[in-house]
Amino acid sequence: MQEDVSSNQMYLILNKAIAECFNHNNWPVDVAMENFREKHWKTLTSSEKTENTSSSIPTLREVSKAGDFCSLLDEFRISIDPYNDDNEELSTDKFRKIYNYIDYFRPHIMEQYHEDFVILEKVIKSHLPEYSNDAVLNAYNERALNITKLKKSLPRDKTNKEKITQRYQQEAKELFSDIISQNNLHTITASPNKLKTYLNILEVVDCLPKEEYSKIEKIKLKYKINLAMSEMCQELGTDYISVKEKADKEVAKQIRSLKNAQNPSSGKPSISDLRRKRQRDEYLYK
């Protein structure tokens, strides 16, 4: 029986290797491709006809690239396997090679393996300096959007209002806790992606529980975020003037709110304040 050494078969093996590279069962993901390389070489060097292949036979260069990619995927699998005593962190150079192969073979990713491919790409990019900042921003941005989306679902799901409220408040607390503890946002240089992330994080402030975050604390958070956004817009240039102006207005408003909160008498007097003043005046001038 003739072996299938077609391009379709090679790409199928490659897709399966991508899907299996996160396994912790010590299953190598490069064996099938190595077997394919041997069969491919034998076919090329023999007089056998290849009429039964499902597509054209790949070139030696293409097979070599696929083989190298699968070998690197297996090294990656071992490096993230907590049960493997030989696991070691891959070098930046190897992460970059894996990413280059991801980009090269992107057109040949099959639909049923697309989700695995996306996960692999995210993980690999998070280990590369040129992509890690965007990976951090995208992760925070996604969490912030999910929290505000959850809060907005309240009017449509009144039966689960309490449960949904507890969930988005807890997730909001965890988001700000991670931002503070990881301390990685402020070190990232200004970019449109960072500005977008800050805008979405700003929306999460109102999702924090009132029992743990007072009104003043929320105002202070909004002040810091708007101030950071204003400084970012300054760095990004004239295209962001309108965003900067809006952030500056919010900063000024929050400064006034903080002053009024710290010195209530400077604000508009309440009814009780007016009553006390009248009683005091009546006592002094009767």
Side-chain angles (χ1 to χ4, degrees), residues 155-176:
R156 298 191 303 272
D157 192 356
K158 294 179 181 179
T159 54
N160 294 315
K161 184 176 180 180
E162 187 176 347
K163 186 177 180 181
I164 293 172
T165 301
Q166 289 176 347
R167 184 179 162 192
Y168 77 67
Q169 287 181 345
Q170 181 60 33
E171 289 185 13
K173 279 171 53 182
E174 290 173 0
L175 175 63
F176 277 99

Side-chain angles (χ1 to χ4, degrees), residues 123-188:
V123 173
I124 298 303
K125 286 174 81 170
S126 70
H127 287 83
L128 296 174
E130 60 266 42
Y131 296 110
S132 58
N133 285 347
D134 273 342
V136 170
L137 292 173
N138 291 341
Y140 279 132
N141 195 41
E142 188 176 340
R143 288 173 68 184
L145 286 171
N146 286 338
I147 292 166
T148 51
K149 183 180 178 182
L150 198 59
K151 185 181 180 183
K152 288 175 183 177
S153 71
L154 279 177
R156 298 191 303 272
D157 192 356
K158 294 179 181 179
T159 54
N160 294 315
K161 184 176 180 180
E162 187 176 347
K163 186 177 180 181
I164 293 172
T165 301
Q166 289 176 347
R167 184 179 162 192
Y168 77 67
Q169 287 181 345
Q170 181 60 33
E171 289 185 13
K173 279 171 53 182
E174 290 173 0
L175 175 63
F176 277 99
S177 176
D178 289 345
I179 289 171
I180 294 167
S181 63
Q182 294 177 21
N183 197 30
N184 52 1
L185 265 182
H186 78 280
T187 60
I188 297 174

Side-chain angles (χ1 to χ4, degrees), residues 217-257:
E217 286 173 317
K218 289 183 180 182
I219 293 171
K220 286 180 178 178
L221 275 174
K222 289 181 179 180
Y223 165 77
K224 288 179 181 178
I225 296 170
N226 276 301
L227 187 61
M229 285 167 52
S230 175
E231 292 170 355
M232 263 189 277
C233 291
Q234 184 73 31
E235 290 184 54
L236 291 173
T238 54
D239 290 342
Y240 295 88
I241 288 176
S242 60
V243 182
K244 184 181 188 307
E245 288 175 350
K246 184 178 179 182
D248 288 340
K249 286 180 181 177
E250 289 297 310
V251 166
K253 184 174 80 173
Q254 282 135 20
I255 289 173
R256 288 195 301 271
S257 297

Side-chain angles (χ1 to χ4, degrees), residues 259-270 273:
K259 284 182 178 178
N260 290 338
Q262 291 165 358
N263 184 18
S265 61
S266 64
K268 185 178 179 180
S270 65
D273 290 333

Side-chain angles (χ1 to χ4, degrees), residues 13-14 16-23 26-34 66-67 69-78:
I13 293 170
L14 184 64
K16 287 181 177 178
I18 289 170
E20 294 170 359
C21 70
F22 289 97
N23 84 79
N26 202 26
W27 296 335
V29 299
D30 57 347
V31 173
M33 187 61 75
E34 284 302 313
F69 186 23
C70 287
S71 294
L72 284 166
L73 287 177
D74 201 54
E75 287 188 53
F76 169 71
R77 173 191 66 81
I78 294 170

